[in-house]
């Protein structure tokens, strides 16, 4: 199993670090356009092998896609990160050109790779990667929902005073501060609905805090978060590499599911060796259906910007 992570910034390096620590792949390539960055971070990680006890080989490359040849899975994190006050949507012009170029370069050397998109705006970048590459839809996966759902579980755990691991809670829709939909009505604490324990005001607070989870961190640290996004990317890599058949919320191409067509949005999917293998349709109430439709409209408007670039 060979995995390439494109972009050796905070998110990409964290993703690669999670992959090597868990020995998910035999080989990891970290690639970046900044001279020496990926090589230096790869060496730094390799120097932890004797301390942490892993045997995965990791190497860095400055822009040489030949070194990524025959990758089974590729994680794309490259592009400008968010700054305080910046929305994910504002990144579209710059990051569209970067992501399209990366996808084309990757497929030149790894035509059978499964591609995971982390770059923002993630829903639109996932759609761009799919439409520009013409790959089978199951081989293009946007990471956003996995991250948003983890943040949802964190917020719930803070209010319930419980372990996030004991919670089942998902976020669907777009990966944006106004487009994501934390499904509070479906969230459970070891099979018991969380609404049994939380007041309506608490429920609204959890949903609100989840939706601005990324913006909150951007304001606090001055740039996009990296630990949770990197871990979410690595979790998807692990599910593919080990054929786990795990259920994640991911941004995938919809062809009639949830009443949407020709769009990539976050929905529950089964992740295994073939990429995303099955969309799981859950019953949404009328309010959730309306929110999902509104989210789709907003993402579609962003996708339309691609036509002007």
């Amino acid at each position: 199993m060979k995995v390439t992570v494109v972009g050796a910034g905070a998110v990409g390096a964290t993703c690669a670090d999670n992959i090597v620590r868990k020995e998910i792949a035999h080989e990891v390539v970290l690639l970046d356009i900044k001279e020496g960055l990926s090589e230096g971070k790869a060496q730094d990680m390799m120097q932890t092998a004797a301390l942490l006890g892993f045997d995965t080989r990791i190497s860095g490359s400055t822009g040489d896609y030949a070194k990524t040849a025959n990758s089974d899975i590729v994680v794309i994190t490259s592009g400008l990160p968010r700054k305080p006050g910046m929305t994910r949507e504002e990144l579209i012009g710059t990051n569209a050109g970067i992501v399209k170029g990366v996808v084309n370069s990757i497929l030149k050397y790894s035509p059978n790779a499964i591609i995971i998109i982390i770059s923002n705006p993630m829903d639109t970048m996932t759609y761009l990667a799919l439409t520009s590459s013409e790959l089978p839809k199951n081989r293009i996966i946007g990471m956003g929902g996995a991250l948003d759902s983890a943040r949802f579980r964190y917020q719930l755990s803070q209010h319930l005073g419980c372990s996030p691991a004991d919670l089942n809670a998902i976020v669907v829709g777009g990966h944006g501060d106004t487009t994501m939909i934390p499904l509070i009505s479906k969230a459970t604490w070891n099979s018991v609905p969380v609404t049994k324990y939380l007041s309506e005001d608490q429920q609204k607070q959890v949903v609100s805090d989840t939706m601005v989870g990324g913006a909150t961190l951007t304001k606090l640290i001055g740039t996009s978060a990296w630990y949770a996004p990197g871990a979410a990317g690595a979790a998807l890599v692990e599910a593919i590499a080990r054929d786990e058949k795990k259920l994640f919320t991911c941004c995938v191409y919809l062809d009639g599911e949830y009443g949407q067509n020709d769009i990539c949005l976050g929905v529950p999917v089964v992740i295994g060796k073939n990429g995303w293998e099955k969309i799981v349709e859950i019953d949404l109430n009328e309010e959730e259906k309306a929110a999902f439709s509104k989210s789709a409209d907003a993402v579609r408007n962003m996708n339309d910007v691609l036509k002007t670039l």
Side-chain angles (χ1 to χ4, degrees), residues 171-193:
V171 176
V172 297
H175 179 56
D177 301 346
T178 60
T179 57
M180 70 177 73
I181 308 160
L183 296 178
I184 192 78
S185 71
K186 306 293 188 294
T188 60
W189 180 8
N190 276 346
S191 301
V192 181

Side-chain angles (χ1 to χ4, degrees), residues 233-253:
L236 294 180
V237 171
E238 183 173 20
I240 296 166
R242 295 181 174 158
D243 194 24
E244 292 180 333
K245 312 298 187 189
K246 276 192 173 181
L247 189 67
F248 287 92
T249 305
C250 292
C251 178
V252 300
Y253 185 80

